């Protein structure tokens, strides 16, 4: 293949958004993609970008980019066996200690201010990531050109910037935009802990001289990092609670009782606005730019309007994840369930918060299955997007998901 042909070949980017335990849905989508690929296929996504829990899935894929299907199976195995205690302390001593620290330090001003405090202690997540991820796989994949770059985004509390930490080829230049920058680095566990540190729920993480939190905070252009890293088309796997399309669930009922919202309801809407709204707005903006590009003749295009269109394929839940979480709310460990009862998170109306925190097998497995089915419902679109020939799905692989 000569250089001119290589430059014309589209570079496919994968964007995995944040969303706590909702990211189990992404594993199901990835499982469907693995089934559609030929046996022993390498990574079909030269550019992989993730935020929050999506960053964990992204780096998991990148670490196993030389053996894509194996990497997906490993992610699937981990998510299928999840328990809340593997992500954050869910035992009585851990919950009481952390809540006491939070109340005393953050609300009453007691104790020192040199250690970040949050409602939940996610130290078990650090142990899990250290045990499960082999970061040397990223370097190997980049060196053998099975991966162009992998990136995770975190939010700097002092600078107010969305910082995308990326590891990839040396030819990729850093970028500097308004409140969003790209920084080359060697990714590690602390980058993932920072990207997944949901404000107030999990403590911020220090990287260098600054503390960072969940990358979805103020990430106004979630698709942008993939384009900066060289992607010319992107597959976006969202975790929206607002399904759209012909197979979507009906609209929620109109308010009837006029009851004041619980703290959990308010928190659920805040989490949705953080993890979902910016991504949906960015997709809509990109589609409008593509439409403008198609409508304007090349010679009449403004200089700042690119002639290259960015193909976007979106796969998102066809059913409301809040409703699924509400049905599984009794799986939550007793200590956490008691802790969340006051704010109303254990009621059906407060399931929005649960849908981000419910790292339990019943809920995660249902999301994995939903992701698989939603991806297979777009099988033809996926095959066209990835340039695959139509082929029957390997039933032996399907049974693994």
């Amino acid at each position: 293949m000569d250089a001119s042909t290589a430059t014309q070949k589209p570079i496919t980017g994968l964007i995995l958004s944040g969303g706590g335990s909702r990211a189990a849905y992404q594993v199901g989508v990835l499982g469907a993609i693995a089934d559609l690929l030929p046996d022993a296929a390498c990574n079909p996504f030269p550019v992989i970008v993730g935020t929050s829990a999506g960053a964990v899935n992204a780096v998991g894929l990148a670490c196993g980019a030389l053996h894509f299907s194996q990497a997906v199976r490993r992610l699937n195995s981990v998510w299928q066996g999840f328990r809340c205690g593997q992500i954050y302390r869910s035992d009585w001593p851990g919950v009481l200690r952390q809540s006491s620290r939070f109340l005393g330090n953050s609300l009453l001003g007691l104790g020192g201010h040199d250690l970040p405090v949050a409602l939940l202690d996610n130290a078990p997540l650090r142990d899990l990531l250290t045990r499960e991820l082999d970061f040397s796989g990223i370097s190997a994949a980049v060196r053998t050109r099975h991966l162009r770059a992998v990136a995770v985004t975190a939010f700097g509390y002092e600078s107010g910037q969305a910082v995308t930490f990326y590891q990839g080829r040396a030819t990729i230049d850093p970028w500097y935009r308004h409140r969003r920058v790209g920084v080359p680095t060697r990714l590690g566990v602390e980058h993932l802990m920072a990207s997944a540190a949901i404000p107030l729920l999990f403590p911020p993480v220090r990287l260098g001289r600054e503390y960072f939190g969940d990358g979805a905070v103020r990430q106004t252009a979630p698709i942008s990092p993939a384009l900066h890293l060289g992607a010319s088309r992107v597959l976006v796997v969202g975790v929206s609670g607002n399904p759209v399309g012909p197979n979507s669930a009906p609209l929620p009922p109109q308010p009837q009782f006029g009851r004041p919202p619980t703290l959990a309801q308010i928190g659920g809407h805040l989490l949705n606005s953080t993890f979902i709204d910016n991504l949906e707005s960015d997709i809509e903006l990109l589609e409008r730019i593509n439409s403008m590009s198609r409508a304007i003749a090349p010679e009449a295009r403004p200089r700042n309007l690119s002639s290259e269109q960015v193909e976007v394929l979106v796969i998102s839940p066809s059913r409301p994840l809040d409703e699924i979480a509400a049905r599984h709310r009794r799986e939550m460990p007793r200590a956490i369930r008691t802790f969340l009862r006051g704010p109303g998170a254990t009621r059906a109306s407060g399931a929005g918060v649960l849908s981000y925190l419910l790292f339990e097998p019943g809920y995660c497995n249902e999301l994995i299955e939903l992701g698989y089915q939603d991806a297979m419902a777009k099988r033809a679109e996926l095959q066209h997007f990835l340039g695959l020939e139509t082929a029957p799905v390997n039933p032996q692989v399907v049974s693994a998901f």
Side-chain angles (χ1 to χ4, degrees):
M1 181 182 296
D2 58 37
S4 61
T5 303
T7 56
Q8 294 174 359
K9 184 178 180 180
I11 298 176
T12 305
L14 174 65
I15 298 177
L16 302 175
S17 61
S21 54
R22 289 177 174 226
Y25 176 86
Q26 299 169 352
V27 178
V29 174
L30 293 172
I33 293 172
D35 285 351
L36 294 176
L37 292 172
D39 292 339
C42 295
N43 170 40
F45 304 105
V47 174
I48 306 176
V49 177
T51 304
S52 193
V56 175
N57 287 338
V59 170
L61 280 182
C63 289
L66 296 179
H67 308 282
F68 182 78
S69 293
Q70 292 182 21
V72 173
R73 288 192 186 96
R74 188 174 183 87
L75 279 175
N76 182 79
S77 176
V78 172
W79 277 92
Q80 281 188 329
F82 260 151
R83 296 284 183 180
C84 289
Q86 294 176 281
I87 308 300
Y88 51 84
R89 291 286 300 272
S90 59
D91 57 302
W92 278 109
V95 171
L96 291 176
R97 177 177 177 271
Q98 192 67 16
S99 59
S100 299
R101 285 187 61 201
F102 180 82
L103 291 173
N105 190 307
S106 302
L107 300 183
L108 301 179
L110 303 177
H113 298 278
D114 56 337
L115 293 177
V117 179
L119 284 169
L120 298 173
D121 177 5
N122 64 345
L125 175 60
R126 179 179 281 102
D127 297 335
L128 175 71
L129 296 177
T130 302
R131 183 173 64 251
E132 294 291 341
L133 295 177
D134 179 7
F135 287 88
S136 65
I138 297 177
S139 299
V142 172
R143 185 172 58 253
T144 56
R145 295 188 173 271
H146 289 94
L147 182 68
R148 178 179 174 85
V150 57
V152 304
T153 299
F155 169 72
Y157 278 102
E158 292 188 43
S159 65
Q161 293 179 321
V163 180
T164 299
F165 298 97
Y166 67 91
Q167 181 175 346
R169 297 182 189 173
T171 55
I172 301 174
D173 295 326
W175 61 89
Y176 303 90
R177 299 292 185 270
H178 179 63
R179 294 202 179 278
R180 50 190 175 91
V181 299
V183 178
T185 190
R186 191 176 184 87
L187 294 175
V189 169
E190 294 307 303
H191 295 94
L192 299 182
M193 293 296 294
S195 183
I198 301 175
L200 296 182
L201 293 178
F202 300 136
V205 176
R206 185 168 182 170
L207 297 173
R209 301 177 62 181
E210 185 175 9
Y211 277 96
F212 287 85
D214 199 293
V217 178
R218 301 189 73 172
Q219 189 183 27
T220 56
I223 297 177
S224 175
L227 304 184
H228 281 293
L229 295 171
S232 56
R233 61 182 181 184
V234 291
L235 171 64
V236 180
V237 184
V239 291
S240 171
N242 308 301
V244 294
N247 298 322
S248 301
L251 293 174
Q254 296 297 316
Q256 297 179 358
F257 304 107
R259 294 171 179 167
T262 64
L263 187 59
Q265 280 179 286
I266 295 172
H269 285 295
L270 290 175
L271 288 172
N272 286 342
S273 67
T274 298
F275 289 104
I276 295 171
D277 292 352
N278 284 339
L279 178 60
E280 293 179 344
S281 298
D282 206 26
I283 293 171
E284 183 179 359
L285 175 61
L286 188 56
E287 290 175 344
R288 287 181 180 177
I289 293 176
N290 284 341
S291 298
M292 289 176 59
S293 181
R294 288 191 296 267
I296 302 175
E299 62 274 8
R301 288 193 183 106
R303 290 186 177 182
N304 60 351
L305 182 62
S306 173
S307 60
E308 298 295 330
Q309 297 181 35
V310 179
E311 183 182 359
V312 182
L313 177 61
V314 181
I315 299 179
S316 60
S318 58
R319 290 160 50 200
L321 302 192
D322 293 6
E323 294 181 5
I324 299 176
R327 288 193 285 100
H328 291 277
R329 61 184 183 271
R330 295 191 180 279
E331 295 179 18
M332 185 71 78
R334 184 179 297 275
I336 296 293
R337 205 161 64 234
T338 302
F339 180 65
L340 296 176
R341 181 179 301 158
T346 55
R347 307 175 198 170
S349 61
V353 171
L354 281 188
S355 70
Y356 291 90
L357 295 176
L358 191 51
F359 291 90
E360 292 293 327
Y363 176 64
C364 290
N365 286 333
E366 185 165 348
L367 294 198
I368 291 172
E369 178 62 25
L370 178 63
Y372 187 92
Q373 297 300 330
D374 286 347
M376 282 302 182
K378 291 191 173 184
R379 175 176 178 173
E381 294 175 69
L382 271 172
Q383 288 175 322
H384 175 75
F385 183 84
L386 297 174
L388 302 174
E389 296 292 334
T390 302
V393 177
N394 184 345
Q396 294 180 348
V397 180
V398 173
S399 64
F401 296 98

